[in-house]
Amino acid sequence: MSVSFTGGIDYSRWKPINNESYVSKNSPQYAASEVENDQYISSSKSAGCTDGKDDGKIGFFSAIGNAIKGVGKTIVNGVKGMFTNKEGKFSLGKTLLSLGTAALCIAVPAVGVAACVIGGTMGAVQVGKGIYHAATADTDAEAKAAWQDIGGGAFTVGMSVVGAKAGVKGMKTAAANTSKGSALQSLESAGTKLSAKTIGQYGKAFLQDGYRSGKYNLGQIKTSLSSGIATVKELKELNSMRRANAKALAKQAKGETLTDAELKAIADWENLAPDQFSQSAYNIANKQNTLAAKAAEFKEAPIQSLKNAINPDRAAAILKEIRHPINAAKKLPGNISAGAKAVLEAIKSTDSTYAQLVQKYGFENVAEVLELYGGFTIANEAV
């Protein structure tokens, strides 16, 4: 297939291209323009540069600020990591593992010291990497990230040192309670200083105290658990005796005949020996009885306070207020008792006095109506 033209092309109809407005992508000018544009983007604040020069040099105060920021991140991530999984969601398993690890470090101080040593080593490595990256940073963003690593790593090292010191102190204290005592304290008491020559002695003493302190603390925990279980069993038996005695006495008060088991329940409670149960069981039982008595007293207090407060001579003012057409038209709440409804209907439809209402419907029902129409304030004002 061929294409032919029947006439020539009139070039005067075509406007010439302005060479100054067109630059080929292959030309040096285009390459220079592209580099300048990249330089502008990298110097923006979003890329980490805040001093106008994205050269990896951020200055003293910026370095300190980012180091402090790194400390904050380390604390937040450390606490968050104790309770959340990789997706950042709460994890019961991770929480239990964290609590168990903490409990193990407390029970066996040597484990805590070892954990602090590992943490301190990791923190030191992080500091080293941060220093290297800060020295070789090409951009301000890289320098800031490096100083954050330095701050976070330094904080980890510091906290590890504090934890290790506390762990060693706990080891010596617990080991001192054993029959063999603390090997580390023995070295210190003998004036043996830690040096290259005595490092072996201190290492051996550390292992001895680690074993002794762990064995002692675990023994104390076992004893406490056994004692607690025994106390719970005693408390259960003690409360069972108390309930059986109260039930038998209530039956006796009604004039009913008691069985041999019920007579024995009363006798056992009356003859309860001070050393029959542990002191801890007695203490807990007494606290339970006191709390139960306080709860019953608190429950009865509002009604009792109204009983003591209401003066029959001024009760007529309350009845008159309730009989007022506006108050009489008020809609009753759905949870009002049947007795209170009866009292309210009697107030609206009769001229019964306060004493008559109490005698016929009971004080509690009358008090409920008073509370409904003005609370305890009206009741107190009417006495």
Side-chain angles (χ1 to χ4, degrees), residues 181-241:
S182 170
L184 288 172
Q185 286 184 352
S186 298
L187 286 176
E188 293 171 355
S189 299
T192 305
K193 302 294 183 181
L194 179 61
S195 64
K197 294 182 179 180
T198 62
I199 188 67
Q201 291 178 272
Y202 267 90
K204 181 180 179 181
F206 177 86
L207 294 176
Q208 290 175 336
D209 277 8
Y211 172 77
R212 294 170 188 175
S213 62
K215 184 178 180 180
Y216 173 79
N217 286 342
L218 291 176
Q220 292 293 105
I221 293 173
K222 182 179 179 181
T223 300
S224 298
L225 288 175
S226 299
S227 177
I229 294 172
T231 299
V232 170
K233 290 181 178 179
E234 289 182 341
L235 183 62
K236 184 177 179 180
E237 183 180 353
L238 185 59
N239 284 332
S240 177
M241 291 177 62

Side-chain angles (χ1 to χ4, degrees), residues 186-356:
S186 298
L187 286 176
E188 293 171 355
S189 299
T192 305
K193 302 294 183 181
L194 179 61
S195 64
K197 294 182 179 180
T198 62
I199 188 67
Q201 291 178 272
Y202 267 90
K204 181 180 179 181
F206 177 86
L207 294 176
Q208 290 175 336
D209 277 8
Y211 172 77
R212 294 170 188 175
S213 62
K215 184 178 180 180
Y216 173 79
N217 286 342
L218 291 176
Q220 292 293 105
I221 293 173
K222 182 179 179 181
T223 300
S224 298
L225 288 175
S226 299
S227 177
I229 294 172
T231 299
V232 170
K233 290 181 178 179
E234 289 182 341
L235 183 62
K236 184 177 179 180
E237 183 180 353
L238 185 59
N239 284 332
S240 177
M241 291 177 62
R242 177 178 57 80
R243 287 191 294 268
N245 173 68
K247 186 177 181 180
L249 289 177
K251 187 176 179 180
Q252 187 181 60
K254 294 179 181 179
E256 300 177 7
T257 303
L258 301 182
T259 63
D260 292 341
E262 291 168 338
L263 291 173
K264 184 176 183 303
I266 295 176
D268 289 345
W269 187 257
E270 291 178 348
N271 299 321
L272 193 64
D275 58 349
Q276 187 170 343
F277 297 99
S278 65
Q279 188 61 46
S280 58
Y282 280 123
N283 291 339
I284 296 174
N286 288 333
K287 288 181 180 179
Q288 289 179 340
N289 293 335
T290 301
L291 290 174
K294 291 292 183 182
E297 181 181 346
F298 178 79
K299 184 177 181 181
E300 181 66 20
I303 295 178
Q304 189 60 42
S305 64
L306 280 176
K307 286 182 178 180
N308 297 334
I310 291 179
N311 185 336
D313 296 336
R314 298 187 59 190
I318 301 177
L319 300 180
K320 182 178 179 180
E321 180 68 21
I322 296 175
R323 290 190 182 101
H324 191 278
I326 296 178
N327 289 332
K330 287 183 178 179
K331 186 177 181 180
L332 295 176
N335 59 349
I336 188 173
S337 67
K341 288 182 180 179
V343 172
L344 189 57
E345 292 300 325
I347 292 174
K348 294 178 180 179
S349 60
T350 69
D351 293 329
S352 300
T353 65
Y354 168 75
Q356 290 172 336

Side-chain angles (χ1 to χ4, degrees), residues 63-95:
I64 295 300
N66 279 279
I68 295 174
K69 187 176 181 180
V71 173
K73 284 185 176 180
T74 300
I75 295 174
V76 172
N77 292 335
V79 175
K80 184 179 179 181
M82 293 176 62
F83 308 102
T84 58
N85 54 23
K86 294 181 180 179
E87 288 74 26
K89 297 180 180 180
F90 174 77
S91 171
L92 179 60
K94 190 68 176 292
T95 301

